[in-house]
């Protein structure tokens, strides 16, 4: 299970993830966990045949049983409940579904209902089994969707996961359980800044990792110095290329615009397989 | 006070470069970097940090092993699977505190955790409020709310009329925390199929929160057909089009040097100024730039 991540968006994460999947010589399970903005389908062009709703338990207060004591609101750390003189207001979009209110209500006045928070769509494209999650607009919490997606993973298959940007909860949820994290960065001060933060997350989770430098130029070599100093193998460099950017804009994957890249991506895959099989040393 | 928040459906659309450029075009404003997960604006504005504060997230659970009798009730109750054999995995803990309420031995305590830092700084272009969320910390929404309110306070104190916010990408909790109550959101997009896909979702989000939106296409000449498509979407959805900015390698160079592109000799400077004028017109209909 390989997760493709980067401190922030736009570094070419989706490009790398889809190119890796398209270069593999075996069946791949591909998960687009960037549930806020899933984009990989644009490049992989799967036929999406299944759709499943993801929902979350939220409280449902029975006004006949409620004594308006206010305990539920006090317990809720996420301000998802407010108790007035003769009314309990719920704010489902803030609820984390922790179960505190319905477990602890002294009057047993709270039951649960389900609220839909997103969708999981799946299908396939050639040798790729594809799954993507979609967060419903106006909903704040993506980890439950990511969790549900990861439950579809089949053991022993090659799994490639396109992670969401950032370094907080959704990314941690995505990376957890991965055998390898591939960090995509670009050679700018911003890229380096984000790489350093992303690396911290990977180190906290203690997962082997490597780097792909995208849009390489010669102006800025600090990223490579950083990788060397942190024992972080640079597995591939993709030169800055307007042709790739133009292909990207049209939804054409980089390996189709530049077929010679396919071999390079295969080498990256082989390296990762070596690391996860314990043949090579990794970043820690 | 007027607050302009610059957002994008996804990262890498050039949002931060554009915010930094706007910063050099307006004087009496405070800037905020709400992309607390991967704050970058400071890299282009070289701030001098004047105040540094710790940010606490929701307290996390901790089990006192002397009091714990190993009954396993907490493990059964935790809906985030953060407890295994009477030990708490801090990465899984969401701070809901249900375990601490339920524990018959009172063995679980909620402990404050430092989740990040936030700063008040000064730059050549004016004050900047920014933050840094610790790796693998949650609650970026809360930190965003914090930096935004600090920026508002700073602006009030200085008698400034404007706030320019560099928003986070996506449509999840940090963005939601960034745009609620803002005067105008400027959506930066790029003319790619994925850019178009994300655009519709972020327009929905702006509408959902009742914040008026405008759209600007960055690197429009990478794919002029898609740029036209974006303009069409804007017309259909009645979203004013703020303008388009061409692809220029100078932007990468400026980022590598840590400067707003306005300080380099770039052919896109005029385009940025035009976008800014359009935005300002909508932000303050009665004033001239
Ligand atoms: S804890 Fe139960 S009884 Fe008390 S206000 Fe909440 S729902 Fe009503
Ligand atoms: S389930 Fe938890 S988060 Fe949701 S309303 Fe109840 S106490 Fe609050």
């Amino acid at each position: 299970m390989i997760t493709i991540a980067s401190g922030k968006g736009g570094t070419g994460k989706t490009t790398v993830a889809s190119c890796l999947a398209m270069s593999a010589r075996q069946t791949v399970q591909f998960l687009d966990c960037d549930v806020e903005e899933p984009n990989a389908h644009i490049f992989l062009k799967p036929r999406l045949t299944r759709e499943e709703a993801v929902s979350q338990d939220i409280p449902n207060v029975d006004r006949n049983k409620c004594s308006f004591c206010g305990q539920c609101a006090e317990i809720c750390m996420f301000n998802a409940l407010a108790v007035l003189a003769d009314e309990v207001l719920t704010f489902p979009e803030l609820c984390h579904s922790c179960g505190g209110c319905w477990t602890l209500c002294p009057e047993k006045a709270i039951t649960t209902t389900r609220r839909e928070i997103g969708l999981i769509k799946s299908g396939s494209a050639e040798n790729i089994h594809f799954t993507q999650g979609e967060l419903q607009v106006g909903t704040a919490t993506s980890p439950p969707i990511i969790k549900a997606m990861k439950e579809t993973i089949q053991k022993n298959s090659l799994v490639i996961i396109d992670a969401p940007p950032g370094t907080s909860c959704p990314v941690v949820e995505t990376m957890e359980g991965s055998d390898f994290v591939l960090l995509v960065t670009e050679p700018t001060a911003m890229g380096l800044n984000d790489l350093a933060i992303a690396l911290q997350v990977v180190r906290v989770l203690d997962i082997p990792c490597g780097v792909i430098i995208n849009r390489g130029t010669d102006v800025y070599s600090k990223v490579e110095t950083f990788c060397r100093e942190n024992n972080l193998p640079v597995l591939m460099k993709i030169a800055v290329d307007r042709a790739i950017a133009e292909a990207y804009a049209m939804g054409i994957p980089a390996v189709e615009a530049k077929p010679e890249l396919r071999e390079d991506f295969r080498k990256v895959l082989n390296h990762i397989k070596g690391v996860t099989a314990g043949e090579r040393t990794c970043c820690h | 006070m007027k607050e302009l928040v610059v957002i994008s459906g996804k990262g890498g659309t050039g949002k931060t470069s554009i915010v930094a450029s706007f910063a050099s075009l307006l004087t009496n404003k405070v800037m905020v970097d709400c992309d607390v997960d991967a704050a970058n604006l400071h890299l282009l504005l070289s701030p001098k940090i004047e105040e540094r504060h710790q940010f606490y997230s929701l307290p996390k659970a901790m089990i006192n092993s002397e009091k714990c009798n190993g009954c396993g009730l907490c493990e059964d109750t935790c809906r985030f699977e953060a407890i295994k054999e009477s030990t708490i995995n801090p990465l899984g803990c969401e701070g809901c505190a249900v375990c601490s309420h339920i524990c018959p031995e009172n063995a679980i305590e909620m402990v404050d955790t430092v989740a990040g830092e936030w700063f008040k700084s000064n730059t050549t272009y004016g004050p900047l409020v920014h933050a840094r969320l610790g790796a693998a910390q949650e609650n970026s929404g809360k930190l965003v709310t914090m930096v935004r309110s600090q920026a508002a306070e700073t602006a009030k104190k200085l008698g400034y009329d404007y706030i320019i916010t560099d928003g986070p990408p996506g449509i999840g909790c940090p963005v939601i925390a960034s745009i609620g109550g803002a005067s105008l959101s400027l959506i930066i997009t790029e003319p790619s199929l994925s850019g178009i896909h994300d655009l519709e979702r972020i327009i929905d989000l702006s509408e959902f929160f009742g914040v008026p939106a405008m759209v600007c296409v960055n690197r429009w000449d990478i794919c002029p057909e898609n740029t036209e498509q974006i303009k069409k979407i804007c017309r259909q959805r009645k979203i004013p089009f703020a303008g388009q900015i061409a692809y220029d390698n100078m932007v990468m160079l400026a980022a590598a040097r840590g400067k707003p592109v306005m300080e380099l000799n770039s052919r896109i400077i005029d385009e940025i100024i035009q976008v800014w004028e359009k935005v300002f017109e909508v932000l303050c209909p009665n004033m001239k730039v």
Side-chain angles (χ1 to χ4, degrees):
Chain A
M1 182 166 140
I2 308 168
T3 299
I4 323 297
S6 68
K8 69 174 197 80
T11 52
K13 204 165 32 65
T14 302
T15 301
V16 167
S18 33
C19 286
L20 272 183
M22 295 180 78
S23 307
R25 289 186 209 265
Q26 67 189 98
T27 314
V28 180
Q29 230 192 320
F30 190 100
L31 266 54
D32 188 349
C33 285
D34 188 358
V35 302
E36 291 185 34
E37 312 290 351
N39 281 145
H41 66 101
I42 293 173
F43 302 98
L44 296 175
K45 308 187 179 64
R47 254 196 319 132
L48 295 172
T49 44
R50 261 163 301 139
E51 198 174 294
E52 203 188 315
V54 183
S55 55
Q56 187 186 31
D57 282 326
I58 54 161
N60 179 27
V61 183
D62 180 348
R63 288 189 52 198
N64 295 322
K65 288 189 186 166
C66 173
S67 63
F68 307 100
C69 67
Q71 275 206 39
C72 52
E74 212 168 286
I75 287 159
C76 180
M77 300 296 282
F78 310 102
N79 304 317
L81 294 154
V83 181
L84 312 178
D86 54 358
E87 182 85 73
V88 180
L89 303 177
T90 56
F91 304 95
E93 60 287 353
L94 297 177
C95 174
H96 285 221
S97 198
C98 72
C101 55
W102 62 78
T103 316
L104 297 162
C105 166
E107 312 291 344
K108 303 247 167 304
I110 307 183
T111 53
T112 59
T113 55
R114 306 285 288 172
R115 167 180 128 96
E116 212 174 281
I117 53 170
L119 286 175
I120 295 182
K121 294 183 182 166
S122 52
S124 56
E126 287 171 45
N127 61 335
I128 300 168
H129 296 295
F130 180 90
T131 310
Q132 78 176 28
E134 278 177 30
L135 184 70
Q136 199 159 300
V137 171
T139 304
T141 44
S142 44
I145 301 178
I146 297 173
K147 198 176 245 171
M149 289 176 72
K150 288 177 79 177
E151 274 162 16
T152 68
I153 289 178
Q154 273 147 14
K155 281 222 175 81
N156 301 324
S157 65
L158 173 62
V159 184
I160 294 178
I161 302 184
D162 192 1
T167 52
S168 60
C169 26
V171 182
V172 174
E173 185 69 54
T174 307
M175 282 185 188
E176 257 182 344
S178 298
D179 302 301
F180 195 91
V181 174
L182 193 53
L183 297 168
V184 184
T185 187
E186 43 175 38
T188 61
M190 294 186 192
L192 178 58
N193 184 52
D194 301 329
L195 174 65
I197 301 174
L199 180 61
Q200 279 178 31
V201 181
V202 181
R203 293 264 153 96
V204 169
L205 293 171
D206 200 16
I207 305 173
C209 58
V211 171
I212 288 188
I213 301 179
N214 191 19
R215 294 192 204 103
T217 53
D218 293 334
V219 213
Y220 198 84
S221 59
K222 278 193 196 148
V223 169
E224 283 180 69
T225 315
F226 173 87
C227 290
R228 215 174 311 120
E229 282 168 357
N230 285 281
N231 256 331
L232 203 53
V234 176
L235 303 182
M236 182 174 171
K237 284 193 254 178
I238 307 172
V240 65
D241 188 340
R242 189 167 163 144
I244 295 182
E246 281 172 359
Y248 175 89
M250 302 301 293
I252 299 167
V255 287
E256 274 174 22
K258 296 211 148 211
E260 65 270 27
L261 288 176
R262 230 173 252 262
E263 253 331 289
D264 296 329
F265 280 110
R266 284 199 187 116
K267 280 188 195 137
V268 173
L269 273 178
N270 282 336
H271 173 95
I272 294 174
K273 279 187 196 150
V275 170
T276 51
E279 287 164 13
R280 255 165 255 183
T281 51
C282 45
C283 70
H284 52 238
Chain B
M1 190 136 45
K2 301 274 189 181
E3 184 178 356
L4 171 71
V5 38
V6 183
I7 50 179
S8 67
K10 64 185 217 52
T13 55
K15 195 168 42 66
T16 302
S17 301
I18 291 172
V19 170
S21 301
F22 285 178
S24 66
L25 294 171
L26 179 71
T27 43
N28 55 342
K29 47 87 194 28
V30 173
M31 290 160 290
V32 203
D33 191 348
C34 281
D35 190 0
V36 298
D37 261 22
N40 271 330
L41 188 57
H42 64 282
L43 296 172
L44 298 182
L45 300 177
S46 326
K48 264 209 349 257
I49 294 177
E50 294 188 332
E51 280 179 37
R52 180 187 280 268
H53 303 266
Q54 285 190 328
F55 166 75
Y56 291 91
S57 69
L58 280 180
K60 295 205 182 223
M62 242 182 57
I63 299 182
N64 178 339
S65 55
E66 268 160 37
K67 287 190 188 166
C68 169
N69 66 8
C71 70
L73 203 58
C74 53
E75 186 172 330
D76 296 342
T77 315
C78 178
R79 300 192 28 120
F80 307 108
E81 290 160 33
I83 310 182
K84 289 242 149 61
E85 288 158 14
S86 303
T87 358
I88 288 170
N89 166 11
L91 291 175
C93 176
E94 300 224 355
C96 70
V98 175
C99 55
S100 74
H101 291 293
I102 209 126
C103 172
E105 306 290 330
N106 259 324
I108 305 184
E109 224 187 304
M110 300 305 292
V111 192
D112 277 342
T113 44
V114 175
E117 279 185 298
W118 62 270
F119 317 93
K120 276 190 192 169
S121 297
N122 219 338
T123 74
T124 353
Y125 310 95
L128 168 70
V129 183
H130 49 133
R132 182 189 188 114
L133 194 67
Q137 292 291 342
E138 65 233 65
N139 254 299
S140 35
K142 234 175 129 190
L143 182 52
V144 166
T145 308
M146 163 73 99
V147 287
R148 266 185 87 195
S149 68
Q150 287 298 330
E153 205 174 273
T154 308
K156 212 189 265 159
K157 218 188 284 160
L158 297 169
Y160 285 180
D161 298 327
Y162 305 100
I163 295 174
I164 300 183
T165 304
D166 187 5
I171 57 165
C173 62
V175 191
I176 291 176
S178 300
I179 74 169
S183 325
L184 177 67
S185 70
L186 175 64
I187 302 170
I188 312 290
T189 183
E190 49 172 23
S192 62
L193 294 180
S194 58
I196 293 175
H197 181 256
D198 300 334
L199 178 64
E200 301 251 19
R201 282 162 75 82
I202 192 97
I203 294 177
D204 288 346
L205 186 82
S206 259
E207 282 178 354
F208 189 88
F209 287 97
V211 177
M214 288 181 91
V215 169
C216 163
V217 180
N218 196 16
R219 308 189 196 109
W220 72 271
D221 49 342
I222 287 282
C223 185
E225 299 83 40
N226 284 342
T227 300
E228 283 311 311
Q229 175 68 17
I230 291 171
K231 287 187 192 162
K232 206 167 113 202
I233 293 173
C234 291
R235 276 196 301 276
Q236 274 163 1
R237 304 199 52 163
K238 302 203 167 43
I239 306 284
F241 188 70
Q244 56 191 38
I245 300 169
Y247 180 94
D248 185 4
N249 276 334
M250 279 299 185
V251 176
M252 276 293 270
L253 196 66
R257 295 208 180 136
K259 279 186 186 161
V261 67
M262 306 304 270
E263 299 208 349
L264 270 68
N265 185 4
S266 163
R267 64 195 179 99
I268 61 170
I269 289 180
D270 286 339
E271 289 170 323
I272 296 178
I273 294 176
Q274 273 170 27
V275 170
W276 169 245
E277 285 176 351
K278 273 247 173 66
V279 169
F280 195 78
E281 242 171 65
V282 175
L283 191 64
C284 305
N286 303 322
M287 296 227 288
K288 283 254 165 299
V289 183

